[in-house]
Amino acid sequence: MNSLRSLSFLTICLCIQLSLCVLGSTSASTSLWGKKLQFRARPCVWQLHPDVAVPALKELSVCVGLRRSHATTWTGFVYKAPGGRNIELGLGGTGAKLSVWLFGEDFHIERELKLHEWYSVCLTWSGQAQRLRIYVNGDSQHEASVNPIKPQQLAPNGTLTLGVSHYIDANGNVQEESGKTLLGEIGLFRMWAREWSAEELRRQSCADGDVLSWDLRYWKYNCPPEPDNSLHCDSFPLMTKPPPTVSTGVTSPEIGPTQSLPTGPTNMSTTGEPLDLNETAVGPDTFFRVNVTLSMTGIPTKPKDIVEKWLSHGQQKQ
């Protein structure tokens, strides 16, 4: 205590995490924005955390950002109903083809994802409209009518894996299915409880999902994520040009608009123009670590309160 009293000043080193765009659903320590999952030859399983439940969805949108490193058959993600063997919802590919699975049915399109390039692949589905749409970098690649006898909602409380397909063993544990593992990287995965249009998908490029977010709290894994400073929300283009009109050759009955929530404000990239603080903007967390040395004379009894007051005063002056 005597040595403490003899100090003429106290130096406190602060590590302050400043968030430019704050999302209420994520935090600085658990956000996966700016990080990627590396899938190599060694087993790497990222699965939905057992405490996270996907609700029954009558419409949805899913977007995944991925980059292939080897020309092999690959899996982007697979979602299965509880106890189910068929793929309820999934994405994969081989060669110059993309494969999408919905309620056990396969949809194949001619679209090659070149090696060593980042791609954004989005799937949207509406049970009411009986419609599946597939987008690659914002371009509409395929629109298909879904068999009306298929389920009209996504099964709730299922299992989900990234980069690999899976099965449930006798003990109820998720196990990797070999043979179709992605050799490459995944830098983004999100799910929304709504069938987004092409324009609405573009607006979501920097927004987290309202069903599943790109956040550690949603996942259970055996290989850690890796930081990648080159990754930003605009690293996964969600619109390169207006999507073309796609004719399926199938005449379907006229159906009213899908029930949906009002469109939120346009999301802004933290790597683009400065945010207008008078407008509401939603985007991924971008964090800067700043080392601050603060010298305080005397022997403060509550240094934490002084530091907080000092920081608050600095923000008010801005």
Side-chain angles (χ1 to χ4, degrees):
M1 292 298 292
N2 291 335
S3 60
L4 180 62
R5 291 191 179 95
S6 65
L7 292 176
S8 60
F9 64 91
L10 177 64
T11 301
I12 301 176
C13 295
L14 304 175
C15 287
I16 308 169
Q17 294 208 336
L18 303 178
S19 174
L20 293 184
C21 298
V22 180
L23 281 175
S25 60
T26 60
S27 68
S29 59
T30 61
S31 175
L32 283 169
W33 288 83
K35 298 179 182 179
K36 63 186 178 184
L37 317 183
Q38 284 274 12
F39 296 91
R40 303 185 180 93
R42 61 181 178 84
C44 178
V45 179
W46 276 70
Q47 67 179 84
L48 191 65
H49 196 282
D51 294 336
V52 176
V54 174
L57 299 175
K58 295 184 179 180
E59 58 178 304
L60 59 84
S61 297
V62 176
C63 288
V64 56
L66 59 87
R67 178 166 64 179
R68 302 169 59 221
S69 60
H70 293 78
T72 59
T73 301
W74 56 274
T75 300
F77 72 92
V78 163
Y79 179 83
K80 293 184 177 182
R85 300 181 62 183
N86 293 329
I87 299 176
E88 189 91 348
L89 180 68
L91 170 70
T94 179
K97 291 185 179 181
L98 278 180
S99 297
V100 173
W101 298 279
L102 181 65
F103 305 129
E105 185 176 356
D106 294 356
F107 298 86
H108 301 287
I109 62 173
E110 296 290 333
R111 183 61 161 88
E112 181 183 10
L113 302 189
K114 297 179 180 179
L115 299 182
H116 310 299
E117 294 186 14
W118 283 107
Y119 289 90
S120 170
V121 182
C122 295
L123 318 176
T124 68
W125 166 76
S126 168
Q128 179 183 2
Q130 299 174 1
R131 175 178 59 220
L132 171 69
R133 287 173 173 162
I134 304 168
Y135 300 87
V136 177
N137 291 351
D139 296 339
S140 178
Q141 300 294 312
H142 188 70
E143 179 174 328
S145 297
V146 180
N147 193 328
I149 67 172
K150 293 293 183 180
Q152 299 302 304
Q153 68 177 24
L154 188 75
N157 305 317
T159 52
L160 170 68
T161 48
L162 301 179
V164 297
S165 187
H166 66 277
Y167 67 94
I168 307 300
D169 64 19
N171 297 320
N173 298 318
V174 173
Q175 300 293 342
E176 173 188 359
E177 285 186 358
S178 60
K180 297 182 179 180
T181 301
L182 171 70
L183 292 179
E185 303 158 327
I186 290 181
L188 198 57
F189 182 89
R190 298 158 297 162
M191 177 184 286
W192 296 269
R194 162 168 184 180
E195 182 201 35
W196 294 116
S197 67
E199 175 61 22
E200 288 169 328
L201 280 174
R202 184 188 66 81
R203 295 176 181 176
Q204 303 307 312
S205 61
C206 295
D208 248 320
D210 57 9
V211 175
L212 297 178
S213 297
W214 194 229
D215 188 278
L216 281 174
R217 291 173 294 182
Y218 288 79
W219 305 99
K220 178 182 178 181
Y221 51 93
N222 62 1
C223 51
E226 299 182 9
D228 189 334
N229 294 330
S230 67
L231 287 180
H232 306 281
C233 55
D234 56 1
S235 301
F236 312 97
L238 281 177
M239 180 64 69
T240 56
K241 61 183 178 180
T245 301
V246 180
S247 174
T248 62
V250 178
T251 302
S252 58
E254 184 176 348
I255 299 175
T258 301
Q259 293 292 327
S260 59
L261 298 174
T263 302
T266 301
N267 301 306
M268 301 175 64
S269 169
T270 58
T271 61
E273 296 299 323
L275 294 175
D276 184 349
L277 298 180
N278 294 320
E279 297 179 0
T280 301
V282 180
D285 288 350
T286 300
F287 297 100
F288 297 90
R289 186 172 295 274
V290 181
N291 293 323
V292 179
T293 299
L294 174 63
S295 298
M296 296 187 295
T297 59
I299 306 174
T301 57
K302 295 182 179 180
K304 181 179 178 181
D305 294 344
I306 296 175
V307 171
E308 290 178 350
K309 184 177 180 180
W310 176 70
L311 291 174
S312 176
H313 179 68
Q315 291 176 349
Q316 290 174 1
K317 291 180 65 176
Q318 293 178 357

